[in-house]
Amino acid sequence: TSSSFIGIFLMCIAVVLSSIFGYVPNFLNVFYILLCAICFIIALTRFTSALTTIVPDFAQLLNILIQLCMWFTPIIWNLDMMAEHPVLTSVFKCSPFTYLVEGFRQAFMANSTIITEQNGIFTAVFWIITVLIFAWGNHVFKKTKKDFADVL
């Protein structure tokens, strides 16, 4: 929650700066992607919180996995660089991290939204992955809840 305040503050700075340079962001898309990010973070933390409590070494693996996901996300590199490999491009677009990054990027581009830019299937994939992670996290959390007192 505390990190979200920093993120929202930085988002406000990005909105002001982009507006100064003539790129008025699509506020509906900004709010939608913020909602997507919050839902995905809640789902991911619901799953990982139970696992890291029961298996402390999972935290180290989780750090590595999150770092790999961030390197495979087109933050610094452009997804259009993979245009000659359509299967690989589709795999990258199915990543929830890529969906969120591309959503924020498209929110600041003129007349562009993550939902209408031929990304309907990737929107569905994002929400399916998010719901599955949340459901799996709830299952793991409920199954391991009785062991928390022994571990902590």
Side-chain angles (χ1 to χ4, degrees), residues 29-132:
N29 199 21
V30 170
F31 290 126
Y32 169 72
I33 291 298
L34 280 174
L35 173 72
C36 289
I38 290 168
C39 290
F40 182 70
I41 290 168
I42 289 171
L44 192 62
T45 55
R46 181 73 173 177
F47 173 67
T48 58
S49 65
L51 282 180
T52 54
T53 303
I54 300 299
V55 182
D57 292 336
F58 182 73
Q60 294 174 358
L61 178 64
L62 181 64
N63 286 334
I64 293 168
L65 291 175
I66 294 293
Q67 190 173 25
L68 282 174
C69 287
M70 291 307 292
W71 280 109
F72 288 129
T73 301
I75 294 174
I76 298 174
W77 56 278
N78 192 351
L79 196 57
D80 294 335
M81 293 169 54
M82 305 296 293
E84 60 214 25
H85 306 288
V87 174
L88 200 55
T89 302
S90 296
V91 168
F92 279 123
K93 282 186 174 184
C94 287
S95 167
F97 295 100
T98 302
Y99 183 78
L100 293 172
V101 167
E102 286 295 314
F104 277 117
R105 186 176 288 155
Q106 288 181 11
F108 289 92
M109 295 181 182
N111 299 323
S112 180
T113 62
I114 190 72
I115 299 170
T116 60
E117 289 287 322
Q118 302 168 349
N119 292 317
I121 187 71
F122 303 113
T123 300
V125 167
F126 170 81
W127 284 109
I128 289 169
I129 290 172
T130 302
V131 168
L132 287 176

Side-chain angles (χ1 to χ4, degrees), residues 1-27:
T1 305
S2 63
S3 295
S4 66
F5 290 117
I6 296 168
I8 290 171
F9 176 73
L10 292 174
M11 181 65 62
C12 291
I13 290 174
V15 166
V16 168
L17 287 176
S18 66
S19 298
I20 288 172
F21 288 105
Y23 295 102
V24 178
N26 182 345
F27 290 104

